[in-house]
Amino acid sequence: MINRFLCYLFAIVFFSQGAIANNVIKACGHHDYAPWNALHDDSIVGLCADIATELYSRIGYKVDHSYVGPWKRCQMLIENGAVDMNICSFKNINRAEYSVFMPSAIATNENALFIKANSTIDYQTLDDLNGLIIGKVRGVSLGDQVDDYLSQNAVVAVVEDYSKLFKMLLLGRVEAFIFSRESGKDYISKHNLQYKIIDLPKPIVIGKLHISLSKKSKHLSTIKDINNVFLSDDYQEWQAELFKKYKFSQFDMQ
């Protein structure tokens, strides 16, 4: 009788653990792109992580945000199916080969040109970047058109850590750098660089940020479910409050 009871108890625990494991989405995101994504205590945190967690919690899933490595490794793991979800990124041709994107964008991210406050550089069209030495975070796509233009017409200095962009600009090692407007302004404010570095008003690109799932993920079908949640009035109210928490002045969730 006791042995039968222990076997029964073991079966309950075993199948419960299996059910829990089946309801966990393994996620990754850029480790150095605050406030969208950032590495903290060996996990990815930030606005995109909060959004992904909330969307999946509403359909009965948990999201595992434990750190898997830098952005390039994140993409590789999504491609081979070891990671289920990219919590937010721009769409591009390469990522679409191995990912399915949620139809609705979770936010809009402006990438702007940052220059020294006393610089004479202006930006109106891509041709204004011709010949410039421009800094950029490794692995961050600005869309196929901008990526291709920069590779062919500018000298691109790639860094692993976005804080190096600011240091390189101040030291004169780059003439400008392209970075998320919100993230850049946040860094400038925190480090009292308002009178040394500015962002030019015309964006380089206005990109829609999407959640995407690996085509090899066993949870691929959930992309439709979280999109439906995202479009609900209740969720939209929740996300509006989240943006206030992060002190974003402007955003577009559609």
Side-chain angles (χ1 to χ4, degrees), residues 152-169:
Q152 296 172 23
N153 298 283
V155 178
V156 181
V158 178
V159 300
E160 299 289 345
D161 178 347
Y162 78 86
S163 64
K164 291 180 181 177
L165 293 174
F166 296 85
K167 297 172 184 176
M168 290 174 71
L169 181 63

Side-chain angles (χ1 to χ4, degrees), residues 42-111:
D42 208 33
S43 290
I44 297 296
V45 300
L47 194 147
C48 291
D50 289 351
I51 289 173
T53 297
E54 180 66 18
L55 285 171
Y56 270 101
S57 72
R58 295 189 182 209
I59 61 169
Y61 285 77
K62 292 184 178 180
V63 179
D64 176 7
H65 291 288
S66 55
Y67 185 53
V68 300
W71 185 237
K72 186 175 181 179
R73 179 171 174 77
C74 168
Q75 298 303 309
M76 180 189 71
L77 293 173
I78 292 170
E79 185 172 4
N80 66 31
V83 167
D84 299 298
M85 173 171 56
N86 183 340
I87 57 177
C88 66
S89 69
F90 292 154
K91 285 183 179 181
N92 64 24
I93 294 172
N94 180 54
R95 291 172 189 160
E97 291 179 354
Y98 56 81
S99 302
V100 175
F101 288 83
M102 192 173 93
S104 301
I106 60 172
T108 297
N109 181 29
E110 280 194 3
N111 277 268

Side-chain angles (χ1 to χ4, degrees), residues 165-182:
L165 293 174
F166 296 85
K167 297 172 184 176
M168 290 174 71
L169 181 63
L170 292 173
L171 291 172
R173 294 177 182 172
V174 296
E175 296 172 88
F177 65 82
I178 301 171
F179 192 50
S180 164
R181 190 184 301 280
E182 294 285 359

Side-chain angles (χ1 to χ4, degrees), residues 194-237:
Q194 295 91 330
Y195 301 107
K196 295 182 179 181
I197 297 176
I198 60 172
D199 57 311
L200 294 181
K202 186 176 179 64
I204 299 288
V205 61
I206 302 175
K208 301 288 188 181
L209 293 174
H210 290 261
I211 288 174
S212 60
L213 291 186
S214 169
K215 288 183 177 179
K216 295 183 178 181
S217 172
K218 64 182 179 181
H219 303 294
L220 186 57
S221 63
T222 62
I223 201 78
K224 296 179 180 179
D225 300 325
I226 61 169
N227 192 68
N228 290 336
V229 171
F230 178 83
L231 295 173
S232 69
D233 291 340
D234 179 60
Y235 175 81
Q236 290 287 312
E237 291 176 6

